[in-house]
Each structure stands twice: as structure tokens, then as C-alpha cells.
């Protein structure tokens, strides 16, 4: 029997709780109730109770000023209370909630598609996950054998499919991949300004709350595998998943963190005896990393449900295990103790939190680069997203009134708790965003975008390198076509892979894009809203592709496509006047 208070009693209790929490909590509570209004409410008493609890907890507003590590810890704790469930397309949300809520209160849940329908379910307590697992059975297969590894990846089976046939599925699957470029161009063409276009592109392409939760859950599932050998280990995501510049569908980069295992640098107690673990000894830290990843990679391949195409790339500069996680749809790279990469992610997170224009400019430049083949998901001589992001940050540091501070300035603001040295490299910078005061820069995104292309169209790549630690150009230390100093490992060039041909393509396209944005006709929307203009025009196919001779490109200030576009804009403008 489930006691349900009367409406009057519930109202009184609610008001008392609001009074106790105070006015600020009242506003937060109202935001929580409104945040998930799109979700269908279940009809049964149990489902209503669980749904109400889920809505209140799910809608916790994300504090953009929250420190990087505080946010990561919260995400990891959420993932520990979550499960990933493969579902039949015939299920209804109401019955799904009714069944799972027997094991405890549900904070949040959502559905998505990847080789079938899946649900991510976060319980209020970790004990609920254990209860759910206790009620799950190991499948029996007539002509095959199963590896009895119990993970938090489960399948929900219909015991009586006939009884479900009359039910109308009510599952709403959320998108986990970006919209096609043609659809994006149409969307941008309807915007009122170039600034709005850049913000619209960011909102369209950025990782959703659900995608981030799923990524942390996948890391947590892999930690369960690694914990068989290293019980106190953690698998942490880094890169695009956590640095605020991730695009829907991007790869999941993560590392096996063994530094938190207890017993390191433990002070010896007074007395006649002390104990220490006996351990396997290897020749170097790199050899230890390779051995660890080799074993974990084998476990993922043999025991990890849904993990396919496992490759152990152990001789790379940074050894890794690469595989596809089919239930989530993510391509995954797992490294070990990659703490410098995590500090780089934290630095980008900090820069993206200081000014909303930073993320909008990075997302737009990255999209522009991918459309024109300047970047690629396939390793090669192209610019990487990280290199391109550092180039945007450097440009923003170089403004007369800087949009963001240099890394050296962030180091000056660091407190005692911020001091970090990793493998002999000083990785210190302030983590408290409230300590950072940046001179006010009021430039529009439209102006910054055009200036970015102008800046690099005329940059002396032949003799100068890019350094966001100093915020100024330096003489190149080597003959690489493009030299971008690693922020935390100064001896490394993060763009060493880029060849001269790809750099020239980038410069040529930067010149063309700067010219487009300088034309008055291409900076205003058409009356019909169906003509690509502004940022949308930059995303149209270009003739500045490999195979065109340099001599021909120099004779053409812009492509024939752009000339045709401007003529069309002029014609539309004349027709509008008449």
C-alpha cells in the first residue's frame, strides 16, 4: 500500500519546505520543475512519484562557474548510480518506469538509438543498482556459451510479447549525432545576424546533457572491468567530452587513472616493522603502461559487452587501446595516467567558461574547417581540432583588448592548491574562475570571425610559432610548416603532423573567407531567408580544393561560387526595392 498525501497536505508540506530552504532555493526548485516539462508524465501512482523525484533532481542547473574537477567528480558519482539498458522498441515509458522503480527512486532517464533502443537510468542511490543487478539473470543460449561477467549493461526482455502488442510505444529517443551540414546551412540562413549564426551553430552541435551523461557512464562501465586488477582505479574522460568544445558524435577519449591508488608515498609508522606490497618490476614507466593497457585491452575484448574492433596500439608515443562501444555508438581511445591531457582539457574548459564568444568562435571555425577538409577524423597531415582550437585561443589573446588571458597570467593567479607538476612539466594555473579578471572586449562575433581569417591569412608561418603561454609569436625552433607549442610540454609541437600543402590550403581558404565576410551583400540576410549568407555562405562547397594549381588560385580573389552568390544577393536586393 502506497500512502499518497492529499493535495492540501502536499501543498502545506511543500510550502514549509520552501520556507526552510529560503528564497534562493525556491527559485532553484521552480527551475527544476520547469526544466523537464517535455517528458511524458506516467499515469500510475508509483510512476508519478518516481517521475516527480526524477524531475526535481534532473533539472539541477549547471553552474558555468563551477570548477573543472568539482564538475567531473559530480559526473562520475552520477555515473556510478546509473545503468545502461537495451530495450525493446515495443515498450512504453510508463511500464518501463513502473518496473525499474521497484528497486528505488529514479533521478533521471532518457532513451536513444544505437544498434537498437537503449535507456540510461540514474537512480538516487547506488544500492538501487545492486538491487537491479541482483534481480537480473544470466542468459542461457542453446548453441553458444556466455562469459559470466556481470556489468551495468543490461537487456530488458518482454516475458509476454503478446500482452505488449496492444500498447502504443511512448519512448522518445534523443539525438546523439549532429544534424547534416545541409540542414545546418538552412538553419543558419534564417538567422538575423552573423553573431546569432555562430551561437546557433554552437547550440546545434554542442554535446547535450544526455550525451555527456552517457559518456561518463561508458567510462564507469570500463572502470568496472579494470577494477578486477586495480580495485581503486578510475577511468576518466578527457578532451572533447569535458572541455566544453565537444561536438555531438565526437570520439570518447579516456584514461585509466591509477594515481589515486592508496599506498603511494605512505609515511612509515614508528616501530620495528612496516609492510609493503610485493610488485612486478619492469624496466620503465612506459613499459608498465604498455603492460597494463595490454591486459586491460584483452579484458575489454574478451569480457566487455558491446566492445568490438579492439586494437592495442602500444608503440605509439602515448600507448592506447582503441575500440568501438556499440551500445553507446562511441569510438573510444583508452590511455593510462594521461594527466597532462586532462590538464589541457581543464585549461580549455576554463577558457570556454570565461567568455561565451570563445566557444562560439571555436565551434564555428572547427565546422568551417571540417566542411572544407582542413581537419579530418582520419589521422594524417591535416590540422587537428586541438591545434585549431589553440589557434583560435591565440588569436583571442592577441586582440588589442584581449578576450582571454595568457597561460602565464593564469599561472600568476594560481593559489597554493593549484600548483601542479606532471612528469617535470609545470602545469600550474588558477582553477577558481572568480579570480580571473579580463579587460572588457566588446567586439562582435562577426568582427572576430572576419579578423580571425584575416589574422591567419597574413600570419608569417614560415618563421613564427604560436604560443598561448606567452600570448605572442616566437621564432620557430624547427623547420615544421606549422609550429604550435604544447601549452604544458614546451618542447613539443602539437601540429608537427601538418605538411606544407595542408597549411597552404588553410591559408588560401582563410583569405577567401575573409574576403566573403568583407562584402556587404554577404553580411545581411536575404528577404526570403533561403539564400546562404554570412557564416552559412562560408560552409558552402568551395573550389579551393586539392588539385587546383596555386597559379590559378592566385588569379582568383574568390571562387566562382562566391561571385555567383553575390550576384544572386544583389538581384534579390534589387527585386525587394521594386
Amino acid at each position: 500500500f502506497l500512502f499518497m498525501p492529499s493535495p492540501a497536505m502536499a501543498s502545506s508540506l511543500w510550502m514549509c519546505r520552501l520556507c526552510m530552504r529560503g528564497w534562493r532555493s525556491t527559485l532553484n526548485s521552480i527551475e527544476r520543475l520547469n526544466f523537464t516539462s517535455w517528458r511524458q508524465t506516467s499515469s500510475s501512482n508509483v510512476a508519478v512519484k518516481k517521475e516527480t523525484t526524477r524531475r526535481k533532481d534532473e533539472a539541477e542547473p549547471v553552474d558555468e562557474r563551477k570548477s573543472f574537477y568539482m564538475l567531473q567528480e559530480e559526473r562520475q558519482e552520477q555515473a556510478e548510480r546509473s545503468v545502461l539498458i537495451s530495450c525493446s522498441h515495443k515498450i512504453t515509458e510508463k511500464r518501463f518506469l513502473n518496473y525499474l522503480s521497484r528497486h528505488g527512486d529514479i533521478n533521471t532517464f532518457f532513451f536513444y538509438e544505437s544498434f537498437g533502443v537503449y535507456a540510461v537510468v540514474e537512480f538516487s542511490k547506488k544500492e538501487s543498482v545492486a538491487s537491479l543487478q541482483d534481480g537480473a539473470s544470466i542468459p542461457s543460449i542453446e548453441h553458444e556459451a556466455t562469459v559470466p561477467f556481470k556489468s551495468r549493461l543490461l537487456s530488458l526482455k518482454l516475458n509476454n510479447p503478446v500482452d505488449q502488442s496492444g500498447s502504443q510505444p511512448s519512448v522518445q529517443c534523443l539525438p546523439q549525432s549532429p544534424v547534416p551540414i545541409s540542414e545546418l546551412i538552412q538553419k543558419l540562413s534564417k538567422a538575423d545576424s552573423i553573431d546569432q549564426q555562430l551561437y546557433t551553430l554552437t547550440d546545434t552541435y554542442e554535446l547535450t546533457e544526455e550525451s555527456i551523461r552517457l559518456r561518463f557512464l561508458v567510462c564507469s562501465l570500463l572502470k568496472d572491468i579494470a577494477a578486477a586488477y586495480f580495485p581503486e582505479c578510475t577511468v576518466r574522460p578527457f578532451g572533447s567530452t569535458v572541455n566544453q568544445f565537444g561536438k555531438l558524435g565526437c570520439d570518447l577519449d579516456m584514461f585509466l587513472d591509477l594515481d589515486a591508488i592508496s599506498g603511494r608515498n605512505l609515511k612509515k609508522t614508528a616501530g620495528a616493522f612496516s609492510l609493503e606490497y610485493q610488485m612486478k618490476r619492469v624496466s620503465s614507466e612506459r613499459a608498465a603502461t604498455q603492460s597494463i593497457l595490454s591486459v586491460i585491452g584483452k579484458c575489454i575484448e574478451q569480457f566487455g559487452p558491446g566492445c568490438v574492433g579492439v586494437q592495442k596500439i602500444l608503440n605509439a608515443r602515448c600507448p592506447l587501446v582503441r575500440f568501438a562501444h556499440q551500445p553507446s555508438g562511441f569510438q573510444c581511445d583508452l590511455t593510462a595516467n594521461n594527466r597532462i591531457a586532462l590538464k589541457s582539457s581543464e585549461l580549455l574548459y576554463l577558457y570556454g567558461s570565461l567568455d561565451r564568444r570563445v566557444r562560439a568562435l571555436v565551434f564555428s571555425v572547427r565546422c568551417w574547417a571540417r566542411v572544407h577538409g582542413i581537419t579530418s577524423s582520419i589521422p594524417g597531415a591535416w590540422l587537428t581540432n586541438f591545434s585549431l582550437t589553440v589557434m583560435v585561443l591565440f588569436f583571442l589573446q592577441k586582440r588589442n583588448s584581449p578576450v582571454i588571458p595568457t597561460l602565464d597570467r593564469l599561472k600568476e593567479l594560481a593559489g597554493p592548491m593549484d600548483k601542479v607538476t606532471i612528469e617535470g612539466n609545470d602545469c600550474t594555473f588558477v582553477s577558481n574562475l572568480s579570480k580571473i579578471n579580463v579587460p572588457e572586449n566588446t567586439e562582435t562575433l562577426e568582427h572576430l570571425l572576419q579578423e580571425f581569417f584575416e589574422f591567419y591569412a597574413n600570419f608569417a608561418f614560415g618563421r613564427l610559432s604560436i604560443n598561448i603561454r606567452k600570448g605572442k609569436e616566437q621564432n620557430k625552433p624547427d623547420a615544421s610548416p606549422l609550429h604550435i607549442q604544447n601549452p604544458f610540454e614546451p618542447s613539443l609541437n602539437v601540429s608537427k603532423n601538418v605538411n606544407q600543402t595542408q597549411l597552404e590550403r588553410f591559408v588560401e581558404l582563410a583569405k577567401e573567407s575573409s574576403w566573403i565576410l568583407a562584402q556587404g551583400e554577404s553580411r545581411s540576410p536575404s528577404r526570403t531567408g533561403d539564400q546562404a549568407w554570412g557564416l552559412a555562405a562560408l560552409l558552402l562547397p568551395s573550389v579551393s580544393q586539392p588539385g587546383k594549381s596555386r597559379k590559378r588560385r592566385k588569379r582568383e580573389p574568390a571562387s566562382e561560387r562566391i561571385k555567383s552568390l553575390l550576384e544572386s544577393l544583389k538581384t534579390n536586393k534589387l527585386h525587394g526595392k521594386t
Side-chain angles (χ1 to χ4, degrees), residues 439-486:
E440 186 175 356
N441 179 298
T442 59
E443 292 177 290
T444 64
L445 274 173
E446 175 182 352
H447 182 69
L448 289 174
L449 182 64
Q450 182 177 348
E451 288 291 305
F452 169 83
F453 292 127
E454 185 71 23
F455 180 81
Y456 284 111
N458 297 286
F459 191 84
F461 289 107
R463 60 184 180 85
L464 299 178
S465 68
I466 293 168
N467 183 353
I468 64 170
R469 178 171 286 278
K470 303 292 183 184
K472 60 183 180 181
E473 302 90 341
Q474 294 183 311
N475 291 328
K476 285 170 60 174
D478 55 44
S480 301
L482 175 62
H483 192 281
I484 302 175
Q485 187 181 99
N486 186 304

Side-chain angles (χ1 to χ4, degrees), residues 183-201:
E183 184 178 330
L184 176 67
I185 290 174
Q186 292 178 0
K187 194 173 184 178
L188 297 182
S189 299
K190 297 177 182 178
D192 296 328
S193 66
I194 292 181
D195 281 42
Q196 185 181 343
Q197 286 183 330
L198 270 73
Y199 287 127
T200 298
L201 185 146

Side-chain angles (χ1 to χ4, degrees), residues 124-159:
S124 297
K125 297 180 179 179
K126 197 172 181 180
E127 291 77 10
S128 299
V129 175
S131 173
L132 187 69
Q133 289 179 305
D134 287 342
S137 62
I138 295 177
S140 58
I141 305 175
E142 186 176 352
H143 300 294
E144 294 179 323
T146 58
V147 178
F149 173 73
K150 294 183 178 181
S151 73
R152 284 176 286 140
L153 173 57
L154 305 164
S155 295
L156 185 68
K157 300 298 183 180
L158 300 179
N159 292 334

Side-chain angles (χ1 to χ4, degrees), residues 280-379:
K280 191 81 173 182
R281 298 178 184 272
V282 292
S283 59
S284 64
E285 191 71 29
R286 177 178 174 84
T289 298
Q290 289 173 323
S291 297
I292 291 168
L293 287 178
S294 178
V295 172
I296 300 302
K298 191 68 173 179
C299 290
I300 292 172
E301 183 177 27
Q302 298 295 328
F303 309 141
C307 298
V308 299
V310 178
Q311 304 176 60
K312 292 181 284 186
I313 309 173
L314 303 179
N315 291 323
R317 190 183 74 84
C318 184
L320 61 96
V321 175
R322 177 169 294 164
F323 60 95
H325 188 257
Q326 285 187 333
S328 64
F330 298 143
Q331 291 292 322
C332 303
D333 283 350
L334 175 67
T335 58
N337 287 343
N338 199 355
R339 288 200 164 275
I340 286 186
L342 190 64
K343 289 301 290 185
S344 296
S345 302
E346 182 187 359
L347 180 64
L348 296 190
Y349 170 86
L350 185 147
Y351 278 134
S353 300
L354 291 178
D355 192 309
R356 65 193 296 248
R357 291 173 296 175
V358 176
R359 294 181 68 240
L361 191 60
V362 169
F363 268 94
S364 301
V365 169
R366 279 186 176 186
C367 181
W368 166 84
R370 179 56 61 92
V371 166
H372 296 293
I374 296 173
T375 60
S376 174
S377 59
I378 304 172

